Amino acid sequence: MATLEDIGVSAAINLLSALIFLFLFAILRLQPFNDRVYFPKWYLKGLRNSPSRSRALVSRFVNLDCRSYIQFLNWMPQALKMPEPELIDHAGLDSAVYLRIYLMGLKIFVPITILAWVVLVPVNYTNDALEAEKMAANVTASDIDKLSISNVPLKSQRFWAHIVMAYAFTFWTCYVLLKEYEKVASMRLQFLSSERRRPDQFTVLVRNVPPDPDESVIELVEHFFLVNHPDHYLTQQVVCNANNLASLVKKNEGMQNWLDYYRFKYSRNRSQRPQTKTGFLGLWGAKVDAIDYYISEIEKLSKEITEEREKVLNDPNCIMPAAFVSFKTRWGAAVCAQTQQSRNPTLWLTEWAPEPRDVYWPNLAIPYVSLSVRRLITGVSFFFLAFFFMIPIAFVQSLASIEGIEKSLPFLKPVIEVEFIKSVVQGFLPGIALKLFLILLPTLLMMMSKFEGLTSLSSLERRSAMRYYIFIIINVFLGSILTGAAFEQLDSFIKQSASEIPKTIGVAIPMKATFFITYIMVDGWAGIAGEVLMLKPLIIYHLKNFFLVKTEKDRKEAMDAGSLGFNTGEPRIQLYFLLGLVYAPVTPILLPFIVMFFGFAYVVYRHQIINVYNQEYESGAAFWPAVHGRVITALVIAQLLMMGLLSTKQASSTTPFLIALPVLTIWFHVFCNGRYKSAFVKYPLQEAMMKDSLERASSPNFNFRSYLEKAYVHPVFKGDGNDDDYEQYLSENQEDDAENVLMPTRRHSRRNSPAVSRAASPALSEEVQSVEHRV
């Protein structure tokens, strides 16, 4: 178990690492040749020019202005200067609200930290229960544990202080959550009402279009919406299965990059043409001329791309039973997206379309009927992933226990008994080992979400974040406590009877605070400082700049602005909420580390959002209900663990008073969702009508058809020099008249006989027959 000295060694290592990262960042960001790495957002917006232009040769690479080095830490106050409304205009509502999660952490934990240290630390420290436990039961403890609830003796009346503080912490947390929910809901509605025109405001994604033997999907969708939304329907774009075409285009881009690289290499040295091997990654195979080889490969791929494009545009089997349907008004889109379209609730399913850059195109080609099976497979896979990940968690906890290491690897005992090495092992190694084991987890969870079939990048990130949070609760938090308790109290576990083991675990839960303190320092101090240094993007940019960049366009493509990464960042924040709420009444010494994380991370990520991150999509802070729900989950877990801990302390006279806390917290969550959640899942018709009326008054002649008809074209048909084929495809399948009118059906079965197609719903059949009669 980590002692106060071990924590000090860990703090020194992580603080020194953080300071080194910050110093390197402060110096590197001032150099002209790094300007596109540390300020890419301004370049993408066209608001910044390269400082290496129109300068002397040396000044293009090195900043020779000594005054700028004196103020090398001015990036911190600069990151805090931009007001929130300007930040929303600059980076979007998603980014601004994401930063509010860190602010919410400060609002919750700064008062809780002060109150816990003023009240609970003296109550815990002025006892000697752990000394008695050491002598009687051979329980391991350190000086840090004397500040925790473990140091309060059994049946003590001092537990009333912890119960009162638990109520105070709960009420304060709920108050902050209520105010933040109200504020973010107001910000979202204000953002939607003032937002400029976007295609997704007028567009609905329709899925599970029923098959019809007499009509194509295009004709069927058009007829359905002409009949059921005659006054508001404008146009539609069916979903094509262009996944194979997209993979060919991506492969062609990779080949083109290699061709550019070898041409650039040859231009520098004309004496010898570059060579490459034809095998995997150029590691084996016949040696050939690199330029000729990639030219021939690109020509072959170009032919395959042309054939695949023709297949996608002309083969009916490539048309999926789904479409993006656009309306003349936001009001019409809102009615369609938020209502049931058919008597059969499994057909003609509608939802708001993601904005075009948010669409995850590969999953639109997945048949809707297979989504339930995919969700089941994903759920089972996630269960086994969480179950088997307990093995590395147990390994990490074995590193946190010197006794466990000595029992497992006795030959290391002479080495780890050295004081400094012992401090590093217990105070630093467990935190860094846990962080290393978690590196690949977000990628695995994102792969699961993609397999599940979600159709937008924002929904993929939210689903991955949900699973990551569940994983953190089960494996990182509960798994670390349970396995750590077993390792640290190994002698007690072996010698005690089964009825005494829960008591030992109850004592050991607050003792795991030292492990989580080490993790917070690794992840929340050095990790956040590493985020602002951006070492990986820095190296990749300069490699690309040296080998591939020939034009300004190439240089722009070499920049890696990145994004917030909601699927990884938000669950990590929630771990700190969980740790803070659980350990606030149990081991308050952990709280200052939590506060330092939220403050430091807020400054760093505000800087990154302003200068670096280029968000891939804008969801209007649709993730906030999930953030609120996870903090509530952490609060309930903290309350239940507090009840279990006090039960091991035989505080039967005080523990029942905690039963009301989870009940009140869940009621509060239901109240908040009932009051504010609808603002995040529904679009008020009143707001839609107001926005439509204002737009009709300000832009009465705006051509919505030309604005929307190609808004949801698959990316492989955009900007590749082959748009003419797709435009011809659109013109052949859509009406040229600007105003839609009810049209006779194209179904051959209705032209030749009065029989109704079996695939059509009765309501649609009656409506279409009525239209035919009128026509």
Side-chain angles (χ1 to χ4, degrees), residues 53-81:
R53 292 181 179 178
S54 66
R55 287 191 178 189
L57 181 61
V58 177
S59 300
R60 291 182 182 182
F61 299 97
V62 181
N63 188 347
L64 300 178
D65 184 4
C66 298
R67 291 173 297 178
S68 61
Y69 291 97
I70 298 174
Q71 300 176 345
F72 68 95
L73 289 178
N74 64 349
W75 66 271
M76 290 186 176
Q78 286 178 357
L80 301 175
K81 283 182 179 180

Side-chain angles (χ1 to χ4, degrees), residues 358-534:
D358 189 20
V359 177
Y360 186 68
W361 294 97
N363 281 359
L364 286 174
I366 298 174
Y368 187 83
V369 294
S370 68
L371 294 182
S372 298
V373 177
R374 285 171 172 265
R375 281 193 289 267
L376 176 62
I377 294 174
T378 304
V380 173
S381 302
F382 178 70
F383 170 80
F384 282 106
L385 175 66
F387 179 80
F388 285 107
F389 210 86
M390 280 293 184
I391 298 173
I393 292 294
F395 172 74
V396 169
Q397 289 305 315
S398 70
L399 296 179
S401 169
I402 291 294
E403 293 81 4
I405 295 176
E406 291 178 349
K407 288 182 179 295
S408 303
L409 304 170
F411 61 90
L412 293 178
K413 185 174 181 179
V415 178
I416 60 178
E417 286 297 330
V418 178
E419 285 300 319
F420 178 76
I421 296 178
K422 183 177 180 181
S423 297
V424 171
V425 169
Q426 293 194 129
F428 177 73
L429 192 59
I432 194 68
L434 179 59
K435 188 167 179 63
L436 290 175
F437 276 122
L438 294 176
I439 284 178
L440 295 178
L441 182 63
T443 303
L444 294 175
L445 297 179
M446 180 58 74
M447 290 171 59
M448 288 183 179
S449 298
K450 290 178 179 179
F451 176 81
E452 191 174 350
L454 300 172
T455 56
S456 65
L457 297 174
S458 56
S459 60
L460 285 171
E461 290 198 345
R462 289 198 294 270
R463 185 61 59 86
S464 297
M466 179 198 72
R467 291 199 174 99
Y468 198 2
Y469 180 65
I470 294 173
F471 188 92
I472 283 175
I473 291 176
I474 296 174
N475 292 73
V476 177
F477 181 68
L478 296 178
S480 296
I481 287 177
L482 293 176
T483 57
F487 276 112
E488 291 179 358
Q489 312 299 339
L490 201 56
D491 290 340
S492 300
F493 267 75
I494 294 173
K495 298 177 182 178
Q496 283 180 343
S497 63
S499 61
E500 293 294 318
I501 291 179
K503 177 181 174 182
T504 305
I505 294 178
V507 174
I509 286 176
M511 295 180 184
K512 289 311 297 174
T514 54
F515 166 74
F516 289 118
I517 287 173
T518 63
Y519 179 76
I520 291 170
M521 288 188 290
V522 171
D523 181 69
W525 294 5
I528 297 298
E531 176 70 25
V532 77
L533 179 60
M534 296 178 60

Side-chain angles (χ1 to χ4, degrees), residues 535-549:
L535 189 60
K536 179 182 174 182
L538 178 69
I539 295 173
I540 292 176
Y541 170 77
H542 284 299
L543 288 175
K544 288 182 177 179
N545 194 37
F546 183 78
F547 291 108
L548 298 177
V549 170

Side-chain angles (χ1 to χ4, degrees), residues 229-386:
H229 298 269
D231 298 327
H232 299 280
Y233 170 73
L234 181 62
T235 183
Q236 50 95 6
Q237 292 167 320
V238 293
V239 175
C240 301
N241 184 358
N243 289 351
N244 289 337
L245 177 59
S247 63
L248 289 174
V249 170
K250 185 176 181 180
K251 185 178 179 181
N252 185 66
E253 291 175 353
M255 291 284 186
Q256 188 65 49
N257 286 337
W258 279 111
L259 178 60
D260 292 341
Y261 164 71
Y262 283 115
R263 279 176 171 172
F264 188 61
K265 183 178 180 181
Y266 180 59
S267 67
R268 290 187 169 186
N269 182 13
R270 294 278 182 176
S271 62
Q272 183 180 4
R273 289 180 66 85
Q275 303 286 310
T276 188
K277 294 181 179 179
T278 58
F280 178 70
L281 294 178
L283 299 177
W284 58 73
K287 219 172 188 182
V288 295
D289 183 282
I291 296 177
D292 293 340
Y293 170 74
Y294 281 108
I295 289 176
S296 63
E297 290 296 313
I298 289 173
E299 289 176 352
K300 294 177 185 177
L301 275 175
S302 298
K303 293 179 182 179
E304 292 182 30
I305 289 172
T306 302
E307 294 173 358
E308 185 66 24
R309 181 181 290 107
E310 291 296 323
K311 177 183 176 183
V312 170
L313 294 178
N314 300 314
D315 187 355
N317 293 326
C318 290
I319 305 299
M320 304 304 298
F324 291 100
V325 179
S326 299
F327 295 82
K328 299 175 184 177
T329 62
R330 296 173 181 84
W331 190 92
V335 170
C336 181
Q338 298 169 176
T339 55
Q340 182 175 314
Q341 303 301 309
S342 170
R343 289 181 180 179
N344 187 342
T346 64
L347 300 177
W348 297 102
L349 302 177
T350 58
E351 61 185 81
W352 279 108
E355 62 169 322
R357 59 179 178 163
D358 189 20
V359 177
Y360 186 68
W361 294 97
N363 281 359
L364 286 174
I366 298 174
Y368 187 83
V369 294
S370 68
L371 294 182
S372 298
V373 177
R374 285 171 172 265
R375 281 193 289 267
L376 176 62
I377 294 174
T378 304
V380 173
S381 302
F382 178 70
F383 170 80
F384 282 106
L385 175 66

Side-chain angles (χ1 to χ4, degrees), residues 67-337:
R67 291 173 297 178
S68 61
Y69 291 97
I70 298 174
Q71 300 176 345
F72 68 95
L73 289 178
N74 64 349
W75 66 271
M76 290 186 176
Q78 286 178 357
L80 301 175
K81 283 182 179 180
M82 184 179 288
E84 190 171 66
E86 186 179 343
L87 181 65
I88 294 174
D89 292 337
H90 176 70
L93 185 65
D94 279 343
S95 299
V97 171
Y98 184 84
L99 287 174
R100 291 195 72 88
I101 304 177
Y102 293 104
L103 275 181
M104 184 173 68
L106 290 173
K107 291 178 182 178
I108 290 174
F109 288 111
V110 169
I112 285 179
T113 301
I114 295 173
L115 195 59
W117 275 76
V118 170
V119 177
L120 293 182
V121 169
V123 170
N124 295 334
Y125 188 73
T126 55
N127 287 281
D128 57 358
L130 283 178
E131 293 296 331
E133 289 282 346
K134 281 184 183 180
M135 307 211 23
N138 193 25
V139 171
T140 306
S142 68
D143 293 337
I144 294 177
D145 298 315
K146 293 180 180 179
L147 303 177
S148 74
I149 197 174
S150 299
N151 201 36
V152 180
L154 303 178
K155 301 180 181 180
S156 174
Q157 293 299 311
R158 295 193 177 196
F159 289 125
W160 281 108
H162 299 85
I163 291 175
V164 171
M165 288 298 100
Y167 271 90
F169 299 160
T170 297
F171 290 158
W172 174 249
T173 302
C174 290
Y175 173 77
V176 174
L177 285 173
L178 178 65
K179 290 299 181 182
E180 287 297 312
Y181 215 150
E182 181 181 7
K183 176 65 175 178
V184 174
S186 175
M187 291 171 64
R188 175 178 167 84
L189 292 176
Q190 176 65 27
F191 177 78
L192 294 177
S193 64
S194 62
E195 191 180 23
R196 66 182 183 275
R197 185 189 301 117
R198 291 196 327 190
D200 54 294
Q201 298 170 354
F202 302 88
T203 307
V204 170
L205 175 60
V206 183
R207 306 190 73 182
N208 211 25
V209 176
D212 192 287
D214 304 309
E215 281 188 324
S216 66
V217 174
I218 300 174
E219 296 168 341
L220 188 59
V221 170
E222 185 177 30
H223 277 136
F224 182 87
F225 285 95
L226 278 172
V227 169
N228 294 285
H229 298 269
D231 298 327
H232 299 280
Y233 170 73
L234 181 62
T235 183
Q236 50 95 6
Q237 292 167 320
V238 293
V239 175
C240 301
N241 184 358
N243 289 351
N244 289 337
L245 177 59
S247 63
L248 289 174
V249 170
K250 185 176 181 180
K251 185 178 179 181
N252 185 66
E253 291 175 353
M255 291 284 186
Q256 188 65 49
N257 286 337
W258 279 111
L259 178 60
D260 292 341
Y261 164 71
Y262 283 115
R263 279 176 171 172
F264 188 61
K265 183 178 180 181
Y266 180 59
S267 67
R268 290 187 169 186
N269 182 13
R270 294 278 182 176
S271 62
Q272 183 180 4
R273 289 180 66 85
Q275 303 286 310
T276 188
K277 294 181 179 179
T278 58
F280 178 70
L281 294 178
L283 299 177
W284 58 73
K287 219 172 188 182
V288 295
D289 183 282
I291 296 177
D292 293 340
Y293 170 74
Y294 281 108
I295 289 176
S296 63
E297 290 296 313
I298 289 173
E299 289 176 352
K300 294 177 185 177
L301 275 175
S302 298
K303 293 179 182 179
E304 292 182 30
I305 289 172
T306 302
E307 294 173 358
E308 185 66 24
R309 181 181 290 107
E310 291 296 323
K311 177 183 176 183
V312 170
L313 294 178
N314 300 314
D315 187 355
N317 293 326
C318 290
I319 305 299
M320 304 304 298
F324 291 100
V325 179
S326 299
F327 295 82
K328 299 175 184 177
T329 62
R330 296 173 181 84
W331 190 92
V335 170
C336 181

